[in-house]
Amino acid sequence: MFKNIYLKLTLFYVLIIMIISFIFSISLYQLSVREISRGLGPEAKIFRFLEKQNLSSDLEIFRLTQIKESKDHIKLNLIYFNLLILVLSSFACYFLAKSTLQPIRDAMLAQIRFTADASHELRTPLAAMKTEIEVLLRDKNINLNKLKKLLKSNLEEIDKLEKLSASLLKLARLDKKPQNNFEKISISEPIITAYEKVATLAKNKSISFKNKLKEFEVLADKQSLTDLFVIILDNSIKYTHKKSNIYIETSKIKQRVVVKIKDSGIGINETDLPHIFERFYRADNSRSKGNTPGFGLGLSIAKEIVDLHKGTIEVKSEINKGTEFIISLPTPTK
Ligand code: ADP
């Protein structure tokens, strides 16, 4: 499909160049002919000599032949020139069309992949609910207990769907890049709000937080930064063993506020590390894939939030030792 578009765009570019070249050639031709017809140049001496010898009619014929020959010469040269432009511009325009369309092509492919992944994730809980309902409807010994079990299981699937649609909505909103909610806040504010949101999850796994928080100012959308820290802290709790510690530390390095969140959990494979910020990517780690809920959208949302704040997010990880996320945000310029 894109090959056709490349060719069409190439043709369009070549057409524009050839129209310009054609107009330029006609103008050049007319200018040259006018100059030649004025009889200027070295030939003027010959014309004057022939005139003195009373050979004016021969002079006229000579002059006209000269002009005709020159015209043909210019015409031929201009045709060669245009052919050369046609060949060169065809190659150049093809590469230009390809490089112009490359980012659009990449964005389109990413969008197609995203839609396919989202549809797959939406279909999975729906298919599970449908199967459970069909099986129960075929059951002749249907009773209240079985019905309650079904409803409980369906509710869990609906919960998943709700979380997925909330994540998709967040991504769609972040794509629009709203920057009007930015204000000067202390970095500890969104961290503490996020910490409060995940505290129960941590308590259920007897995980303790060791915080070294200092008040550093950042220019940020408070809600987005809270979402960012909820994602990172939620992952740290999800992928960390019971009764362990999570460390949160803030510091200021040059003009940047740095937040480090470190766990002692299952870690991430080296091969997965470059991909964990991609949409719907879940590390190929059976322990995380099989039992831990998630859609692989959290870190891509986190990355978009960090990008929105012109910050950076890095990850260091070692299997069975733990993972550390390092977020760096610029401080406000006074
Ligand atoms: P998910 O919903 O699967 O948690 P994320 O986008 O938040 O999606 O994370 C992508 C993947 O990165 C996860 O599936 C997990 O394999 C890995 N990951 C993220 N955070 C951690 C962590 N703290 N420890 C180990 N693995 C992690």
Side-chain angles (χ1 to χ4, degrees):
M1 171 193 160
F2 260 87
K3 219 169 184 173
N4 259 344
I5 302 175
Y6 288 156
L7 288 177
K8 273 185 195 161
L9 195 63
T10 306
L11 268 178
F12 183 66
Y13 285 161
V14 171
L15 191 74
I16 292 174
I17 290 178
M18 289 323 292
I19 288 174
I20 294 171
S21 171
F22 195 63
I23 293 171
F24 174 75
S25 301
I26 290 179
S27 315
L28 196 70
Y29 177 77
Q30 281 175 344
L31 268 174
S32 310
V33 167
R34 201 183 306 154
E35 284 301 308
I36 293 163
S37 306
R38 279 211 276 164
L40 294 174
E43 298 94 288
K45 279 185 190 164
I46 306 171
F47 296 150
R48 260 179 260 125
F49 169 75
L50 290 171
E51 230 168 352
K52 275 184 197 160
Q53 306 289 316
N54 278 335
L55 292 169
S56 42
S57 61
D58 290 352
L59 169 72
E60 198 53 35
I61 294 165
F62 176 75
R63 217 171 88 86
L64 288 174
T65 326
Q66 276 269 301
I67 290 173
K68 193 180 171 302
E69 266 177 21
S70 299
K71 275 184 179 173
D72 291 346
H73 211 73
I74 293 170
K75 244 188 241 166
L76 203 69
N77 276 334
L78 285 174
I79 289 171
Y80 285 149
F81 173 74
N82 275 283
L83 281 176
L84 187 73
I85 295 243
L86 179 69
V87 175
L88 291 180
S89 66
S90 301
F91 284 109
C93 289
Y94 183 73
F95 285 108
L96 187 70
K98 227 176 160 183
S99 56
T100 310
L101 289 173
Q102 194 63 34
I104 301 170
R105 181 177 186 264
D106 292 348
M108 219 175 116
L109 291 180
Q111 195 61 41
I112 291 170
R113 208 178 319 126
F114 176 71
T115 312
D117 287 342
S119 316
H120 173 77
E121 293 295 342
L122 284 166
R123 266 182 57 190
T124 312
L126 286 174
M129 284 196 310
K130 191 173 172 229
T131 316
E132 281 174 348
I133 293 168
E134 280 170 353
V135 168
L136 199 76
L137 282 177
R138 277 200 295 270
D139 190 344
K140 289 186 179 105
N141 305 318
I142 193 165
N143 59 33
L144 196 64
N145 251 354
K146 283 180 182 176
L147 261 174
K148 271 190 179 172
K149 223 172 128 192
L150 170 89
L151 289 176
K152 202 172 160 246
S153 163
N154 278 1
L155 212 59
E156 278 168 17
E157 300 299 335
I158 290 170
D159 212 36
K160 280 187 202 165
L161 281 171
E162 210 176 9
K163 279 186 184 144
L164 176 61
S165 56
S167 297
L168 291 174
L169 204 64
K170 211 168 271 175
L171 271 175
R173 283 195 186 134
L174 281 169
D175 272 346
K176 284 196 226 147
K177 302 199 190 307
Q179 295 215 340
N180 43 354
N181 293 334
F182 277 40
E183 56 183 326
K184 279 183 189 172
I185 55 163
S186 166
I187 191 68
S188 59
E189 284 180 51
I191 297 178
I192 290 169
T193 318
Y195 163 76
E196 281 163 359
K197 285 192 179 190
V198 297
T200 321
L201 293 173
K203 207 174 155 204
N204 290 345
K205 282 181 90 174
S206 309
I207 289 173
S208 327
F209 281 94
K210 308 279 178 204
N211 302 340
K212 275 192 204 161
L213 298 184
K214 285 190 187 149
E215 304 287 322
F216 297 117
E217 217 175 44
V218 284
L219 188 67
D221 173 19
K222 196 173 163 189
Q223 183 55 51
S224 297
L225 276 200
T226 307
D227 291 345
L228 162 74
F229 293 121
V230 167
I231 291 166
I232 308 287
L233 292 178
D234 182 58
N235 276 349
S236 299
I237 297 166
K238 259 193 329 193
Y239 301 110
T240 298
H241 313 290
K242 284 181 181 170
K243 294 182 186 157
S244 52
N245 295 326
I246 292 172
Y247 301 86
I248 313 175
E249 191 190 307
T250 56
S251 58
K252 194 170 174 184
I253 300 171
K254 288 181 182 165
Q255 288 309 305
R256 300 186 82 83
V257 173
V258 178
V259 184
K260 292 183 180 174
I261 297 172
K262 192 173 174 203
D263 64 54
S264 46
I266 60 169
I268 306 168
N269 255 320
E270 225 175 287
T271 46
D272 290 314
L273 275 178
H275 304 287
I276 56 164
F277 294 103
E278 290 169 17
R279 291 175 180 187
F280 291 109
Y281 191 87
R282 302 202 76 200
D284 193 17
N285 187 330
S286 53
R287 282 163 295 181
S288 76
K289 252 192 164 173
N291 313 319
T292 323
F295 301 102
L297 283 176
L299 287 182
S300 57
I301 295 175
K303 175 85 174 62
E304 298 235 2
I305 294 173
V306 170
D307 287 348
L308 197 66
H309 288 81
K310 300 194 170 49
T312 58
I313 181 163
E314 282 172 52
V315 55
K316 291 180 190 165
S317 191
E318 237 181 294
I319 285 289
N320 289 329
K321 288 220 165 131
T323 304
E324 182 179 32
F325 282 91
I326 304 155
I327 297 144
S328 153
L329 299 165
T331 47
T333 43
K334 301 235 160 68

